[in-house]
Amino acid sequence: VVVHEVIKPRLPVYRIQPLLGFPQVKWGLQDNQVWIGLPVSVSMHNDNFMEVDVYSLVFDMFYMDEEGSLLHLADISDHNQATSTAKGTKNNTTAKPEVLWQIPSRSNFTINDSLFMSMETTVFWNLILNPRFYASLWKGSGSFWLPTTGVAHVKAITKGKAGVPATLKIVCDNFIENMIVQGLSCILHDAGAGWSNISEASLSMRRHATTKLKANADGAVLYDGKVIENPKR
């Protein structure tokens, strides 16, 4: 039952809101990128019948070009991943950091944390010069769609028993308004038992997004030709 719930989880709808505070800056020795840590409040509802412990998070952010293809815009990582990159240590499947978030079952969850972002400078300027971006802003009265792909290392905890490690790969549609990221819908692209290399898994999801996925006129990502919708509970 636990394995089934891990492999077929109900994906939560999340909300990420920036907080006042000074950003942190880290230099990635492995990737030669500047990582900027932003203080945020993360909230969601766990609709599953078990606690979900999140150990690692890596997301890729995209925006559409004029033809609807997705362009990679930025990487987003949890503070453990950013610290590991800054120290030059390799991500592996044996040495794991402490649990990031312990999300209780059938409950609301809120935490203040830092998420680290490294932005693709060239693509950022392409976004700024993209007339479709401004058309989206105008249509949305200052708000816009921003799709993401992500990889998470998690454990599902039930009745105090040891958790089952799993790697989840997801695709999400997000709506950005007043600097608040509202996750509208997510689908599970793939899941497997154990913790795979999160950097390699993230790169595979990035390639999938840029070669297989498209966006509609509003900028919402199309998965298998359809706009992502959350399954009805």
Side-chain angles (χ1 to χ4, degrees):
V1 176
V2 174
V3 173
H4 175 76
E5 287 290 335
V6 171
I7 302 303
K8 297 292 185 181
R10 298 178 179 90
L11 298 179
V13 176
Y14 53 84
R15 179 183 176 93
I16 302 175
Q17 183 170 353
L19 299 173
L20 293 177
F22 293 103
Q24 304 176 52
V25 179
K26 296 180 184 292
W27 173 255
L29 298 179
Q30 294 185 65
D31 50 21
N32 293 321
Q33 295 187 89
V34 176
W35 291 86
I36 300 176
L38 304 175
V40 296
S41 173
V42 180
S43 58
M44 66 186 74
H45 179 79
N46 179 14
D47 204 27
N48 296 282
F49 286 93
M50 60 189 61
E51 175 184 317
V52 178
D53 290 356
V54 180
Y55 284 79
S56 300
L57 283 172
V58 175
F59 280 86
D60 286 283
M61 187 181 296
F62 302 88
Y63 195 71
M64 58 185 175
D65 63 13
E66 295 182 357
E67 298 178 351
S69 297
L70 297 183
L71 300 175
H72 183 246
L73 182 62
D75 302 322
I76 301 174
S77 295
D78 64 74
H79 61 263
N80 283 335
Q81 293 296 307
T83 299
S84 175
T85 301
K87 290 180 179 179
T89 57
K90 294 183 178 180
N91 183 298
N92 57 63
T93 58
T94 56
K96 298 303 299 180
E98 72 276 7
V99 62
L100 291 170
W101 304 337
Q102 292 180 301
I103 307 172
S105 63
R106 309 291 290 178
S107 301
N108 293 321
F109 170 79
T110 301
I111 191 170
N112 293 343
D113 204 342
S114 291
L115 293 178
F116 283 77
M117 180 170 64
S118 179
M119 184 166 288
E120 298 259 3
T121 306
T122 302
V123 178
F124 174 76
W125 285 111
N126 289 340
L127 170 64
I128 295 299
L129 299 175
N130 185 350
R132 191 170 181 177
F133 173 66
Y134 294 100
S136 177
L137 282 177
W138 177 265
K139 186 175 180 179
S141 300
S143 56
F144 57 97
W145 296 81
L146 209 59
T148 56
T149 61
V151 181
H153 286 172
V154 302
K155 282 186 179 181
I157 310 296
T158 179
K159 297 181 179 179
K161 296 181 180 180
V164 177
T167 300
L168 306 182
K169 300 178 182 179
I170 62 176
V171 180
C172 295
D173 261 333
N174 308 282
F175 200 62
I176 315 298
E177 185 174 21
N178 297 325
M179 299 302 292
I180 297 174
V181 179
Q182 178 64 61
L184 296 181
S185 51
C186 294
I187 64 169
L188 183 63
H189 174 77
D190 189 24
W195 283 328
S196 64
N197 185 293
I198 199 168
S199 299
E200 293 177 1
S202 177
L203 286 175
S204 72
M205 288 299 295
R206 184 189 304 180
R207 287 193 293 267
H208 175 76
T210 56
T211 59
K212 303 294 184 181
L213 300 183
K214 291 283 187 179
N216 66 6
D218 293 327
V221 69
L222 299 176
Y223 192 92
D224 290 338
K226 299 179 182 179
V227 175
I228 298 174
E229 294 182 357
N230 269 334
K232 293 182 180 181
R233 306 296 186 217

